[in-house]
Amino acid sequence: MNTRKATVRTTMLLGTLCAALAATAVIALGMGFVRIPPAEALCVALGLPCGDDVSLRTAAIVNQIRLPRILSAAGTGFGLGAAGAVFQGVLLNPLADPFTLGVSSGAAFGAALCLVLGLTLFGAATLPLFAFIGAALTLAAVLWIARGDTSRSPSTLVLAGVITASILSAGLSFLKYMADERVSTLIFWLMGSFAGSGWTQAITVWAASLTGLFCCLWFARDLNVMSLGGRTAASLGVNPARVRLFLLMAASFVSAVCVASAGIIGFVGLVVPHLVRLLSGPDNRILLPASALAGAVLLLAADTLTRAVLPHEVPIGVLTALIGGPVFCWLFRKRHAGRDHA
């Protein structure tokens, strides 16, 4: 009976999040400088007959401007939410997110270097490629710093990540100094934005996010076992060091593509898993997809707010920090208040 209740609860949670994502996307399609009825915008986006009064201008706005941006925002939130849940599960740290190990900073450094140097070696794939190289090298540096700990314990990895992130922060400041006339473009990109998102960007971020999520879900059971401790996991046939390395690489790959897609967007990977864990519980088989969907809803709603509601478009990274910061403070105080009463 308990298993059946858990299955129903999981289905309701994931179904509700999917419905919320679909509803948010439809509402976002109709919102903007040019108001379009949501039903009409949805028909245009799906290629359904909408009557003879749909102009070419409306179709162009929906299919070439709004739909790619909506998909990019949702895909980036999807990836950041999943990556945040993976980092928190691997590092056994509720404060972990893609920034904890410096992975996002490494991706940002690689992408910023590409922008400053004006590199276009591989066309549109150059920026994501440099972002991933930066993230991969950062992860390698973290593992190298923590090499003295053969088990690569979470506390050692977090400390190594803090050291690496500090160095990369100085590197980003140096790139801003060297950017000269490109410094405004670099700073605006680092603050995060989906302005100008195209179909290539949307397809890339969704492909990376879905691939990363499925890879992490494959090891979700092992991640659950690892939460019991390294010795317990090893006794149950799980290799903590190997699983931890694979999951960190998968989450780093997703984070790198998301950073290359939209710049640095904080607090999504930190706050979303916290909120979802209150509803789903600690089981990563449920937590990972639920965090991904909730991240997509949150980031899409935030992008719609800054694009279509606010009088001036605010960089999405700034907006998520303004929203996520107070929410995280509330969650943090509530968590510790519960401990004190206990």
Side-chain angles (χ1 to χ4, degrees):
M1 182 63 69
N2 291 334
T3 303
R4 183 177 180 182
K5 287 183 178 179
T7 303
V8 172
R9 182 181 177 184
T10 301
T11 303
M12 289 183 62
L13 175 62
L14 296 179
T16 301
L17 289 172
C18 288
L21 178 58
T24 306
V26 172
I27 293 172
L29 275 174
M31 296 181 66
F33 182 77
V34 177
R35 297 285 176 173
I36 303 173
E40 181 179 329
L42 180 62
C43 287
V44 172
L46 296 178
L48 301 176
C50 312
D52 298 331
D53 55 343
V54 176
S55 64
L56 294 176
R57 177 170 173 258
T58 299
I61 291 173
V62 172
N63 291 325
Q64 299 178 23
I65 300 176
R66 293 186 186 174
L67 189 55
R69 178 165 179 166
I70 288 170
L71 291 175
S72 296
T76 302
F78 190 94
L80 290 175
V86 170
F87 275 107
Q88 291 180 10
V90 169
L91 300 177
L92 302 177
N93 188 342
L95 298 179
D97 71 344
F99 291 91
T100 303
L101 293 186
V103 170
S104 291
S105 297
F109 182 83
L113 184 64
C114 178
L115 288 174
V116 171
L117 297 178
L119 300 177
T120 57
L121 302 174
F122 305 99
T126 305
L127 190 64
L129 179 61
F130 269 75
F132 177 67
I133 291 174
L137 292 177
T138 300
L139 182 59
V142 169
L143 296 175
W144 181 78
I145 294 172
R147 70 189 185 283
D149 184 356
T150 55
S151 64
R152 294 192 178 95
S153 64
S155 58
T156 304
L157 289 172
V158 169
L159 182 58
V162 171
I163 296 171
T164 308
S166 299
I167 298 173
L168 288 169
S169 178
L172 278 172
S173 298
F174 179 73
L175 286 180
K176 293 177 187 177
Y177 175 76
M178 296 295 293
D180 292 332
E181 68 275 3
R182 297 185 181 183
V183 65
S184 58
T185 303
L186 178 58
I187 291 176
F188 181 78
W189 178 83
L190 288 173
M191 288 191 294
S193 175
F194 292 103
S197 298
W199 281 105
T200 300
Q201 180 176 331
I203 293 172
T204 300
V205 73
W206 268 109
S209 298
L210 288 173
T211 301
L213 176 63
F214 286 135
C215 290
C216 293
L217 280 175
W218 184 265
F219 289 95
R221 175 190 168 278
D222 294 341
L223 192 56
N224 288 338
V225 174
M226 286 167 56
S227 66
L228 302 176
R231 292 183 179 180
T232 303
S235 66
L236 294 174
V238 176
N239 187 329
R242 185 180 302 171
V243 173
R244 189 176 292 128
L245 178 61
F246 177 84
L247 290 174
L248 287 176
M249 290 181 64
S252 299
F253 168 71
V254 174
S255 301
V257 175
C258 290
V259 169
S261 170
I264 297 179
I265 300 176
F267 283 97
V268 175
L270 179 63
V271 174
V272 167
H274 269 282
L275 294 173
V276 173
R277 196 176 285 110
L278 298 175
L279 300 174
S280 68
D283 189 349
N284 287 284
R285 293 172 296 181
I286 305 169
L287 179 62
L288 293 181
S291 296
L293 290 169
V297 174
L298 174 63
L299 198 54
L300 177 56
D303 183 60
T304 304
L305 176 64
T306 186
R307 173 179 63 84
V309 177
L310 298 180
H312 299 285
E313 184 167 335
V314 178
I316 190 67
V318 176
L319 186 61
T320 55
L322 290 174
I323 297 173
V327 172
F328 183 72
C329 288
W330 173 75
L331 287 171
F332 186 79
R333 287 187 58 83
K334 182 179 179 181
R335 185 166 176 258
H336 281 268
R339 285 183 177 179
D340 293 339
H341 287 303

